[in-house]
């Protein structure tokens, strides 16, 4: 009788654990989906306002107050708006 009780309680505990685990897994998927939808909506708003530009290869240009942020999958470059003309001159010299 004792052995059957231990087996039954083990099965109940495992079932409860798997139910909770699956529920948490679904909630995590839902939150990731909501986050990606929110991120796309935010990017669309920034693109409409002219504060965000996306190029091929994952390169993005973003304006924040006095800064221009150039981001690609491997690095991020932060420029001051006052230095933009110097950078353009530097690039044109090459």
């Amino acid at each position: 009788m004792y052995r059957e009780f231990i087996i039954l309680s083990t099965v109940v505990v495992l079932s409860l654990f798997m139910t909770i685990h699956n529920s948490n897994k679904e909630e995590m998927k839902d939150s990731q989906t909501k986050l990606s939808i929110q991120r796309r909506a935010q990017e669309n708003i920034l693109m409409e306002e002219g504060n965000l530009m996306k190029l091929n290869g994952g390169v993005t240009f973003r304006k924040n107050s006095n800064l221009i942020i150039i981001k690609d999958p491997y690095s991020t470059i932060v420029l001051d708006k006052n230095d933009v003309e110097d950078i353009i001159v530097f690039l044109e010299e090459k």
Side-chain angles (χ1 to χ4, degrees):
M1 181 71 176
Y2 181 72
R3 184 176 180 183
E4 289 84 7
F5 179 74
I6 290 177
I7 292 172
L8 177 65
S9 60
T10 304
V11 169
V12 169
V13 167
L14 285 175
S15 299
L16 182 62
F17 172 76
M18 291 305 293
T19 303
I20 292 171
H21 176 70
N22 287 339
S23 174
N24 288 343
K25 198 172 182 181
E26 289 175 9
E27 287 180 20
M28 286 173 49
K29 282 183 183 178
D30 289 343
S31 67
Q32 287 176 348
T33 303
K34 288 178 185 177
L35 180 64
S36 66
I37 291 170
Q38 181 182 7
R39 185 175 292 141
R40 272 188 261 133
Q42 184 181 21
E43 286 178 353
N44 289 338
I45 291 170
L46 288 172
M47 288 171 100
E48 288 174 4
E49 292 175 351
N51 291 329
L52 177 68
M53 250 178 25
K54 285 189 159 192
L55 303 177
N56 292 338
V59 177
T60 59
F61 288 89
R62 190 173 204 167
K63 290 190 301 185
N64 285 342
S65 63
N66 284 359
L67 300 176
I68 297 174
I69 302 168
I70 304 168
K71 191 172 191 179
D72 72 1
Y74 303 107
S75 62
T76 301
I77 301 170
V78 179
L79 304 171
D80 188 4
K81 283 186 181 179
N82 299 329
D83 298 333
V84 170
E85 290 181 18
D86 297 334
I87 293 168
I88 292 172
V89 170
F90 172 75
L91 292 173
E92 287 177 349
E93 289 177 358
K94 295 287 175 175

